[in-house]
Amino acid sequence: SFFNDSHPYIYSFPMSQAIKEGRLCKYYYYPKLAYLNDDEMALYSLISKKLAQLWDNEKGRFKNKQEAETLLMNRKRIIHKCADKINVYKDIIAEIGEEDLKYTFVYAPQGKYEKLGIKDEVTLTEEDDLSFIQKLLDETKAMYPGKRCNTFTGQDSKDKRSVLLKSFTNGNLDLLLAMKCLDEGVDVPRAERGIFTSSTGNPREF
């Protein structure tokens, strides 16, 4: 829009063409469903009601943008970190099997819960960023004690991340559980499988 251009823009190179030409690998995508439990659903409904109260029909926008953004982020995180995802994850790695789990990336959701900023000040449990990815790691080790796996996060040093990635590429590390990393523009040809425990609307990450 800045250049007053229209489709196909300056140059259009879709993923389908990139896959056809071998610049990106062909992949198969298998969605798995996870469900909110009663407590999560109750909280999700409460936040949705608060958002509805903030909506201005006449102006077509929220009355308090900052408060609405906090509510929307917290509602998204209820979905991203719902407890059933751990069960679904266990089902997935059981279905894949111990032998075929090698060269697998696991992507974990990020983000802490924030105070909702509403009059009755309903506060979500303050949850550390690393708790969900740690649960995934613990469940993997519990199911497959012989598998070599580790986390890969933005809190790790550059040197440590380099060692982890090299170990994964060389096959010395079977699974790498990533958060805030390895989701944009990182080329790891040896990777064979990715497990996404939270969907994203970001086309670069996808």
Side-chain angles (χ1 to χ4, degrees):
S1 60
F2 180 82
F3 292 104
N4 194 28
D5 202 358
S6 58
H7 188 81
Y9 312 112
I10 305 302
Y11 184 73
S12 181
F13 191 70
M15 285 182 67
S16 56
Q17 186 179 344
I19 292 171
K20 186 177 180 180
E21 294 185 11
R23 301 178 188 277
L24 291 177
C25 65
K26 185 177 182 179
Y27 64 89
Y28 298 92
Y29 189 68
Y30 303 98
K32 303 286 185 180
L33 298 180
Y35 297 92
L36 300 181
N37 61 34
D38 290 344
D39 291 338
E40 291 164 342
M41 181 58 78
L43 196 50
Y44 186 92
S45 299
L46 174 64
I47 294 175
S48 297
K49 288 176 183 176
K50 296 295 180 182
L51 284 165
Q53 293 169 3
L54 283 175
W55 184 254
D56 189 326
N57 280 322
E58 291 183 6
K59 296 182 179 179
R61 65 187 184 196
F62 288 110
K63 300 169 189 175
N64 185 325
K65 185 180 177 182
Q66 185 175 358
E67 185 176 340
E69 285 179 352
T70 302
L71 287 163
L72 286 166
M73 288 296 290
N74 280 331
R75 190 172 68 169
K76 182 177 75 171
R77 286 165 186 160
I78 291 171
I79 295 172
H80 277 192
K81 297 188 175 187
C82 79
D84 192 39
K85 286 193 175 185
I86 299 295
N87 298 323
V88 175
Y89 172 74
K90 289 164 66 177
D91 290 342
I92 291 171
I93 61 175
E95 182 182 332
I96 293 169
E98 185 171 7
E99 190 64 32
D100 293 330
L101 211 54
K102 196 175 181 68
Y103 298 119
T104 296
F105 276 130
V106 179
Y107 293 93
Q110 60 173 303
K112 294 179 180 179
Y113 291 129
E114 306 292 342
K115 286 187 177 180
L116 301 184
I118 51 182
K119 289 181 180 178
D120 50 350
E121 197 160 307
V122 177
T123 307
L124 291 169
T125 304
E126 193 70 23
E127 189 171 282
D128 187 82
D129 259 352
L130 295 179
S131 62
F132 196 90
I133 195 172
Q134 187 61 48
K135 286 178 186 177
L136 294 173
L137 180 65
D138 292 344
E139 291 296 345
T140 307
K141 288 181 175 180
M143 288 182 67
Y144 301 120
K147 281 295 172 189
R148 296 158 297 183
C149 46
N150 212 327
T151 57
F152 189 103
T153 75
Q155 295 187 17
D156 296 325
S157 68
K158 188 176 179 180
D159 289 341
K160 181 180 178 181
R161 282 182 283 172
S162 178
V163 169
L164 286 170
L165 203 53
K166 187 175 181 181
S167 296
F168 178 84
T169 304
N170 293 339
N172 296 322
L173 199 58
D174 298 311
L175 285 90
L176 208 50
L177 296 93
M179 185 184 69
K180 298 183 182 179
C181 301
L182 299 176
D183 55 4
E184 290 186 27
V186 179
D187 185 23
V188 187
R190 199 64 192 88
E192 295 181 1
R193 185 178 288 103
I195 301 174
F196 298 85
T197 60
S198 64
S199 299
T200 173
N202 185 328
R204 293 193 303 267
E205 291 183 5
F206 181 82

